[in-house]
Amino acid sequence: MRALLILLEKEFRQVFRNPAILRMMFAMPAVQLLVMPLAADYEVKNVKICIVDYDHSTYSQKLTNKIVASNYFQLVDYTDSYTKALEHVENEEADLILQIPTSFEKDLVREDKSTLFLALNAINGVKANLGGAYLRSIIGDFNNEVRLEWMQMPRFNPIPIVGITSVNWFNPLMNYRFFMVPGILVILVTMVGAFLSALNIVKEKEIGTIEQINVTPIRKYQFILGKLIPFWVLGLIVLTIGLIISYLFYGIVPLGSIFTIYIFAAVYLLSVLGLGLLVSTLANTQQQAMLLSFFLMMIFILLGGLYTSIDSMPDWAQTFTKFNPVAYFIEVMRMVVLKGSTLYDIRFHLAIVAVFGIVLNSFAVWNYRKRS
Amino acid sequence: MKQFLYFIKKEFFHLWRDKRTMLILFGMPLMQILIFGFALTNEVKNTRIAILDNSKDDATRKIISELEASRYFDIQEDIRSNADLEKAFQSGKIKMAVVFPERFQDELLHTNAAPIQLIGDATDPNVANTLINYASAIIFDYQKTVEGYQDLPYTINTELRMLYNPQMKGSYNFVPGVMAMVLMLVCAMMTSISIVREKELGTMEVILVSPIVPIRVVIAKMVPYFLLSTVNIASILLLSVFVLNVPIQGNLFLLVGEALLFTVTVLALGLLISTVAGSQQTAMLISLMGLFLPTVMLSGFMFPVENMPIPLQVISNIVPAKWFYYIVKNVMIKGLGFTYIWKETLVLIGMTTFFMIVSIKKFKSRLE
């Protein structure tokens, strides 16, 4: 026990004397939480549109006005040449082209139907899809207006109509940041924990100070614990900073209990730190350790469900996420913060992450050799 | 010149003998392409939903079977009351619920109007939106079968054309991004760390007292990483063409040329970082915070730049990856020629020269 305390004292001193670590602890939350939610905005707005009007009729004018007035779209150009419009798309100045053919109005009035052409820049699929859907709903509205001009609608529905109403639970304003910020908080805690712990033992290896520790009577588990505990504390501090920032800047107050978050985070950090320490015992140089943990983190984070939902991943990836601690924490964080889930709701998540922690840490202890 | 070649040889040995690093450096693009190509989709399918059927008549059964038949939804059977519903949402079991009121069919047939309520889990707003859109479309189709098809007068049809990416594949968007990310990592991060490492271990002193011109030492360090990146560029392109079926629409030589230009840009950046950083950890921190995150966040391949607040949009202009992403997208996906990207190419060349000049200046002053 005494040996452990002395080791802890050494580690804490080292941490607090290292300006890089302290800077990382405060700079990372600030940058990630302040910049990333601003950048990570998937909401589709300001779709830029080019209207090619070959018709120049009253209706084509009306439709154009309606589109411009909708606020979804930003009119880039109103021309009568498709080539010119396509050039705008090629230069990334426009996202979609609406082509109004000659005799659009004439066909509509005389032949009861007419066709508009819509070309979307589909490299960014989400934007193309949503932009196209918005535009079609505007055209649909316009269509109804035209019909009203020409025919009398009966007062009651002439045909059976299913009225669909939709409600958005847990995030009624559909604020994308409420979705992103809790997830980013997880990434933050994970990155700080994994990188710092991964680099730690390797640094001692590289500088050679590990030899000194190896000749002392310190036990293997004591050594690993001595490395683990300081970063565990740091991780919780970073989480606290992150929660404060997300409250101050985004007004996010967890709906569930804050203790639930801390209890889960405490267990979660053990498994992340275990992973870092394992990497640390595997690598010989800091460069290796960094690259290895970067590689692992990248896979864990990308497949953690932060950006895209896990449900839509293929089966092999879904199986993988069962072994991905990051995915569990992101889910728990969103559940507790947005839905107010309780400790009872997340009991399975907690148990699984605890198992990860035990396995990874024992592996790290086992893998750490006192002999080189 | 001969000395220089020896140094390059030395660096090659350094890199080549570190098998783990090599493995990761070659495995990285492979993993990224696989993950981005197959795992990260915004497509919605097999989402778990619940249905609260308070009516249990022919009409609701018909709609439920339509919902069940679509590949978007996976109906969870065991939810029977409003209380169950709330719990299921809270434990993350379902993402959407469809609620039918009592006497649904009666209302529909007699008053010609019957409501259905869709409840979305809006913790993820985009997914909620998409789910509700899909469900609405299915219900709408059902309604059409009820009313029987009848042509309304004065109908405006819209014909849709997807430019550049007719199948709406996500890969078209991220292959250029992955390329930028991998090059950034290999060139900037790895070179800067390997230079600083020599400083930290003290071997730099030994090299600096040798008769070779100091800047050549550093350039010799970059050559292996440059070659490594060409291998990575080739493997990314091959993977995207043959595994992801993303064709190269434009000129291959132009594309490779631009990629090599970007490689030089990031190598210069790595050099700059190494002159600033004193320890490997600092170098890592700078390349992670100053390079990698901006590349991921601000280059436009993960998040649309035009949605960002103005200050971020301005900052995004100094991220080299943004320009590279634009170039690759135009050449590779849209198949455009040099006339469309000469401005962006010039920006990259300008950045490279700037980084080079600054780092060489810095490098000299450090020796005094």
Side-chain angles (χ1 to χ4, degrees):
Chain A
M1 197 58 209
R2 222 178 88 83
L4 183 61
L5 282 180
I6 291 169
L7 257 181
L8 280 179
E9 198 187 329
K10 161 194 169 284
E11 293 298 334
F12 270 113
R13 281 217 177 129
Q14 267 184 330
V15 166
F16 287 111
R17 278 180 194 163
N18 188 343
I21 290 183
L22 290 178
R23 238 178 277 149
M24 190 152 149
M25 268 183 54
F26 292 100
M28 288 265 281
V31 172
Q32 291 209 344
L33 280 170
L34 296 183
V35 178
M36 225 161 129
L38 291 179
D41 195 345
Y42 271 127
E43 250 177 274
V44 178
K45 49 193 172 191
N46 294 331
V47 181
K48 285 167 288 183
I49 187 172
C50 253
I51 298 181
V52 184
D53 188 356
Y54 289 126
D55 195 31
H56 291 293
S57 59
T58 339
Y59 276 166
S60 75
Q61 291 287 345
K62 270 193 189 163
L63 181 59
T64 308
N65 288 338
K66 200 170 163 59
I67 291 169
V68 174
S70 74
N71 281 333
Y72 276 133
F73 297 100
Q74 208 179 314
L75 186 66
V76 177
D77 201 0
Y78 177 82
T79 87
D80 42 19
S81 128
Y82 182 77
T83 337
K84 218 173 135 199
L86 195 63
E87 222 165 85
H88 285 301
V89 175
E90 280 170 350
N91 288 324
E92 301 274 302
E93 288 157 3
D95 302 305
L96 47 94
I97 303 173
L98 174 70
Q99 190 184 334
I100 306 172
T102 26
S103 75
F104 165 72
E105 185 177 308
K106 221 171 73 193
D107 286 352
L108 189 60
V109 177
R110 300 233 174 105
E111 298 179 18
D112 266 356
K113 66 174 170 209
S114 114
T115 307
L116 293 169
F117 296 97
L118 207 59
L120 310 168
N121 177 358
I123 294 181
N124 182 342
V126 182
K127 198 166 185 179
N129 251 337
L130 286 178
Y134 287 153
L135 191 58
R136 268 182 297 176
S137 79
I138 291 177
I139 294 173
D141 281 352
F142 175 71
N143 201 168
N144 282 337
E145 282 170 22
V146 172
R147 270 184 204 137
L148 279 179
E149 266 179 46
W150 291 91
M151 50 198 266
Q152 193 69 41
M153 284 286 182
R155 257 186 73 215
F156 294 104
N157 295 338
I159 43 173
I161 285 177
V162 181
I164 302 170
T165 49
S166 60
V167 200
N168 298 307
W169 278 12
F170 308 116
N171 186 0
L173 297 174
M174 304 288 264
N175 188 339
Y176 205 71
R177 295 202 177 126
F178 288 177
F179 172 65
M180 280 312 273
V181 171
I184 292 171
L185 207 60
V186 172
I187 303 303
L188 181 75
V189 173
T190 312
M191 286 201 3
V192 171
F195 280 119
L196 288 183
S197 58
L199 288 179
N200 197 278
I201 297 181
V202 183
K203 192 172 180 195
E204 300 226 20
K205 272 194 209 170
E206 217 173 59
I207 304 177
T209 47
I210 201 153
E211 297 292 319
Q212 294 169 13
I213 290 174
N214 284 346
V215 294
T216 61
I218 292 170
R219 311 286 297 270
K220 283 199 314 189
Y221 77 90
Q222 286 175 331
F223 178 69
I224 294 284
L225 267 184
K227 292 284 180 199
L228 194 85
I229 294 172
F231 293 117
W232 186 74
V233 173
L234 283 187
L236 289 178
I237 293 175
V238 168
L239 176 68
T240 314
I241 296 174
L243 283 172
I244 292 172
I245 290 181
S246 54
Y247 167 68
L248 288 180
F249 288 86
Y250 304 103
I252 296 176
V253 183
L255 212 62
S257 159
I258 210 133
F259 287 106
T260 316
I261 297 179
Y262 272 96
I263 288 171
F264 192 88
V267 177
Y268 171 78
L269 268 171
L270 287 184
S271 64
V272 169
L273 294 176
L275 185 72
L277 292 178
L278 183 62
V279 166
S280 205
T281 56
L282 283 171
N284 293 321
T285 62
Q286 289 189 61
Q287 197 182 12
Q288 272 181 4
M290 200 222 53
L291 200 61
L292 193 61
S293 52
F294 187 85
F295 186 63
L296 291 175
M297 278 303 115
M298 186 198 73
I299 296 174
F300 281 162
I301 290 173
L302 285 177
L303 292 179
L306 177 63
Y307 308 108
T308 55
S309 110
I310 291 175
D311 284 340
S312 53
M313 290 180 187
D315 290 338
W316 59 268
Q318 289 200 25
T319 316
F320 174 79
T321 54
K322 299 240 163 34
F323 299 95
N324 182 356
V326 180
Y328 287 98
F329 196 20
I330 290 180
E331 207 182 323
V332 165
M333 198 69 154
R334 284 187 180 145
M335 278 162 66
V336 176
V337 171
L338 292 168
K339 299 186 194 165
S341 305
T342 57
L343 213 50
Y344 182 76
D345 289 321
I346 61 163
R347 62 194 184 280
F348 293 120
H349 297 78
L350 194 64
I352 292 169
V353 170
V355 172
F356 286 143
I358 293 166
V359 171
L360 287 168
N361 281 303
S362 344
F363 200 45
V365 171
W366 175 79
N367 199 44
Y368 165 58
R369 297 270 179 274
K370 279 197 131 189
R371 261 161 293 180
S372 45
Chain B
M1 198 56 212
K2 208 171 162 196
Q3 275 173 328
F4 184 54
L5 286 180
Y6 278 127
F7 262 90
I8 293 180
K9 208 169 156 190
K10 158 189 168 284
E11 294 303 331
F12 259 114
F13 280 136
H14 259 309
L15 191 64
W16 192 246
R17 284 183 185 154
D18 189 352
K19 289 280 186 283
R20 277 180 208 157
T21 308
M22 285 297 281
L23 197 70
I24 295 179
L25 287 182
F26 284 120
M28 182 85 79
L30 191 84
M31 269 324 272
Q32 285 195 333
I33 290 278
L34 281 181
I35 291 180
F36 277 100
F38 296 107
L40 294 190
T41 52
N42 287 310
E43 237 182 280
V44 172
K45 57 185 174 203
N46 297 331
T47 310
R48 283 166 312 213
I49 64 167
I51 291 180
L52 256 188
D53 187 355
N54 295 319
S55 180
K56 297 206 171 44
D57 52 43
D58 286 346
T60 62
R61 239 166 273 147
K62 186 85 185 53
I63 294 178
I64 292 169
S65 74
E66 295 282 326
L67 287 171
E68 199 155 24
S70 88
R71 63 191 181 87
Y72 305 124
F73 303 117
D74 183 4
I75 297 175
Q76 305 291 302
E77 304 287 348
D78 53 343
I79 291 153
R80 309 211 184 285
S81 69
N82 266 323
D84 280 354
L85 204 64
E86 192 154 347
K87 254 190 228 123
F89 270 119
Q90 260 168 5
S91 61
K93 219 174 122 190
I94 53 167
K95 289 264 159 72
M96 188 182 75
V98 182
V99 182
F100 293 100
E102 282 169 23
R103 302 180 48 239
F104 178 78
Q105 196 175 21
D106 283 357
E107 299 261 335
L108 189 61
L109 293 181
H110 297 132
T111 66
N112 271 345
I116 290 181
Q117 194 184 29
L118 301 176
I119 303 171
D121 175 355
T123 35
D124 185 343
N126 280 3
V127 168
N129 258 337
T130 319
L131 286 176
I132 286 174
N133 280 342
Y134 285 151
S136 308
I138 291 173
I139 297 168
F140 203 68
D141 280 348
Y142 164 78
Q143 186 186 310
K144 269 198 181 149
T145 61
V146 173
E147 72 195 32
Y149 193 73
Q150 71 193 100
D151 236 349
L152 282 170
Y154 307 108
T155 303
I156 302 175
N157 294 318
T158 33
E159 228 168 72
L160 219 58
R161 195 172 352 161
M162 297 294 175
L163 298 171
Y164 313 118
N165 183 4
Q167 289 153 301
M168 305 279 282
K169 280 201 246 172
S171 10
Y172 282 65
N173 197 26
F174 70 76
V175 166
V178 168
M179 208 137 118
M181 234 155 71
V182 169
L183 290 179
M184 205 67 158
L185 195 75
V186 173
C187 300
M189 190 129 77
M190 296 301 286
T191 34
S192 66
I193 290 176
S194 76
I195 295 172
V196 178
R197 184 177 140 86
E198 299 237 18
K199 276 199 230 169
E200 212 176 73
L201 294 181
T203 45
M204 198 59 147
E205 297 286 307
V206 182
I207 296 171
L208 287 181
V209 293
S210 69
I212 189 168
V213 188
I215 193 68
R216 283 198 187 160
V217 177
V218 177
I219 291 175
K221 272 201 167 306
M222 298 183 156
V223 174
Y225 289 102
F226 181 76
L227 289 180
L228 201 83
S229 345
T230 55
V231 176
N232 276 334
I233 293 171
S235 66
I236 292 173
L237 288 180
L238 286 174
L239 279 172
S240 56
V241 172
F242 291 106
V243 180
L244 299 179
N245 297 320
V246 179
I248 298 173
Q249 302 284 7
N251 189 326
L252 181 63
F253 292 103
L254 180 60
L255 182 62
V256 172
E258 295 285 350
L260 292 180
L261 170 65
F262 182 67
T263 313
V264 177
T265 313
V266 269
L267 278 174
L269 247 179
L271 181 60
L272 186 62
I273 293 176
S274 70
T275 58
V276 180
S279 72
Q280 290 185 61
Q281 288 197 356
T282 319
M284 189 200 85
L285 210 66
I286 295 178
S287 33
L288 207 64
M289 302 288 289
L291 292 184
F292 200 75
L293 282 179
T295 303
V296 174
M297 295 194 298
L298 300 178
S299 68
F301 96 96
M302 281 207 104
F303 314 112
V305 175
E306 66 267 25
N307 271 2
M308 297 174 194
I310 302 293
L312 277 187
Q313 289 193 26
V314 174
I315 294 172
S316 78
N317 285 326
I318 60 167
V319 177
K322 180 193 165 180
W323 304 99
F324 180 63
Y325 172 64
Y326 183 87
I327 291 172
V328 175
K329 204 165 68 171
N330 275 347
V331 175
M332 187 166 169
I333 311 293
K334 295 191 190 168
L336 300 178
F338 187 65
T339 42
Y340 283 90
I341 52 164
W342 64 271
K343 269 184 254 161
E344 288 72 24
T345 313
L346 265 186
V347 171
L348 277 186
I349 293 174
M351 282 180 170
T352 315
T353 351
F354 176 75
F355 294 144
M356 284 285 187
I357 291 172
V358 172
S359 46
I360 287 172
K361 276 228 163 98
K362 281 242 174 189
F363 192 82
K364 272 181 187 151
S365 67
R366 219 201 52 203
L367 281 178
E368 281 155 13

